Coordinates of all heavy atoms in Angstrom, one line a residue:
K62 N 27.9 -8.0 8.6 CA 29.3 -8.2 9.0 C 29.5 -9.4 9.9 O 30.0 -9.3 11.0 CB 29.9 -6.9 9.6 CG 29.9 -5.8 8.6 CD 30.5 -4.6 9.2 CE 30.6 -3.5 8.2 NZ 29.4 -2.7 7.9
S63 N 29.0 -10.5 9.5 CA 29.0 -11.8 10.3 C 29.4 -12.9 9.3 O 29.9 -12.7 8.2 CB 27.6 -12.0 10.9 OG 27.7 -13.0 11.9
S64 N 29.1 -14.1 9.8 CA 29.4 -15.3 9.0 C 28.1 -16.0 8.5 O 27.1 -15.9 9.2 CB 30.3 -16.3 9.7 OG 29.6 -16.8 10.9
Q65 N 28.3 -16.8 7.5 CA 27.1 -17.6 7.0 C 26.6 -18.6 8.1 O 25.5 -18.7 8.3 CB 27.5 -18.4 5.8 CG 26.4 -19.3 5.2 CD 26.3 -20.6 5.9 OE1 27.4 -21.2 6.3 NE2 25.1 -21.2 6.0
S66 N 27.6 -19.1 8.8 CA 27.2 -20.1 9.9 C 26.4 -19.4 11.0 O 25.5 -20.0 11.6 CB 28.4 -20.8 10.5 OG 29.3 -19.9 11.1
R67 N 26.7 -18.1 11.3 CA 26.0 -17.4 12.3 C 24.6 -17.1 11.8 O 23.6 -17.2 12.6 CB 26.7 -16.1 12.6 CG 26.3 -15.4 13.9 CD 26.9 -16.2 15.0 NE 26.4 -15.7 16.3 CZ 26.1 -16.4 17.3 NH1 26.3 -17.7 17.3 NH2 25.7 -15.9 18.4
V68 N 24.5 -16.8 10.5 CA 23.1 -16.5 10.0 C 22.3 -17.8 10.1 O 21.1 -17.8 10.4 CB 23.2 -16.0 8.5 CG1 21.8 -16.0 7.8 CG2 23.9 -14.6 8.5
A69 N 22.9 -18.9 9.7 CA 22.2 -20.2 9.8 C 21.7 -20.5 11.3 O 20.6 -20.9 11.5 CB 23.1 -21.4 9.4
K70 N 22.6 -20.2 12.2 CA 22.2 -20.3 13.7 C 21.1 -19.4 14.0 O 20.2 -19.7 14.8 CB 23.4 -20.1 14.6 CG 24.4 -21.2 14.6 CD 25.6 -20.9 15.5 CE 26.5 -22.1 15.5 NZ 27.6 -22.0 16.4
M71 N 21.1 -18.1 13.5 CA 20.0 -17.2 13.8 C 18.7 -17.7 13.3 O 17.7 -17.7 13.9 CB 20.3 -15.8 13.2 CG 21.4 -15.0 13.9 SD 21.5 -13.3 13.3 CE 22.3 -13.5 11.7
E72 N 18.7 -18.2 12.0 CA 17.5 -18.7 11.4 C 17.0 -20.0 12.1 O 15.8 -20.3 12.0 CB 17.7 -18.9 9.9 CG 17.9 -17.6 9.2 CD 18.1 -17.8 7.7 OE1 18.2 -19.0 7.2 OE2 18.2 -16.8 6.9
A73 N 17.9 -20.7 12.7 CA 17.5 -22.0 13.3 C 17.0 -21.8 14.8 O 16.6 -22.7 15.4 CB 18.6 -23.0 13.3
G74 N 17.2 -20.5 15.3 CA 16.8 -20.2 16.6 C 17.7 -20.8 17.7 O 17.4 -21.1 18.8
D75 N 19.0 -20.9 17.3 CA 20.0 -21.4 18.2 C 20.1 -20.5 19.5 O 20.1 -19.3 19.4 CB 21.4 -21.3 17.5 CG 22.5 -22.0 18.2 OD1 23.0 -21.4 19.2 OD2 22.9 -23.1 17.9
P76 N 20.2 -21.1 20.6 CA 20.2 -20.4 21.9 C 21.4 -19.5 22.1 O 21.3 -18.5 22.9 CB 20.1 -21.4 23.0 CG 20.2 -22.8 22.3 CD 20.1 -22.6 20.8
S77 N 22.4 -19.7 21.3 CA 23.6 -18.9 21.5 C 23.5 -17.5 20.8 O 24.3 -16.6 20.9 CB 24.9 -19.6 20.9 OG 24.8 -19.7 19.5
V78 N 22.4 -17.3 20.0 CA 22.2 -16.1 19.2 C 21.4 -15.1 20.1 O 20.4 -15.5 20.7 CB 21.4 -16.4 17.9 CG1 21.1 -15.1 17.2 CG2 22.2 -17.3 17.0
S79 N 21.9 -13.9 20.2 CA 21.2 -12.9 21.0 C 20.0 -12.3 20.3 O 20.0 -12.2 19.1 CB 22.2 -11.8 21.4 OG 22.5 -11.0 20.3
M80 N 19.0 -11.8 21.1 CA 17.9 -11.1 20.5 C 18.4 -9.9 19.8 O 17.8 -9.5 18.8 CB 16.9 -10.7 21.6 CG 16.2 -11.9 22.2 SD 14.7 -12.4 21.4 CE 13.5 -11.3 22.0
D81 N 19.4 -9.2 20.4 CA 19.9 -8.0 19.8 C 20.4 -8.3 18.3 O 20.1 -7.5 17.4 CB 21.1 -7.5 20.6 CG 21.8 -6.3 20.0 OD1 21.2 -5.3 19.9 OD2 23.0 -6.5 19.7
L82 N 21.1 -9.4 18.1 CA 21.6 -9.7 16.8 C 20.5 -10.0 15.8 O 20.5 -9.6 14.7 CB 22.6 -10.9 16.8 CG 23.2 -11.3 15.5 CD1 24.0 -10.1 14.8 CD2 24.2 -12.4 15.7
L83 N 19.5 -10.7 16.3 CA 18.3 -11.0 15.5 C 17.6 -9.7 15.1 O 17.3 -9.5 13.9 CB 17.3 -11.9 16.3 CG 17.7 -13.3 16.4 CD1 16.8 -14.0 17.4 CD2 17.6 -14.0 15.0

Side-chain angles (χ1 to χ4, degrees):
K62 297 180 177 81
S63 189
S64 64
Q65 177 275 327
S66 62
R67 197 75 184 144
V68 171
K70 286 181 179 185
M71 286 190 287
E72 291 181 355
D75 189 284
S77 68
V78 175
S79 69
M80 292 274 275
D81 176 64
L82 182 56
L83 284 168

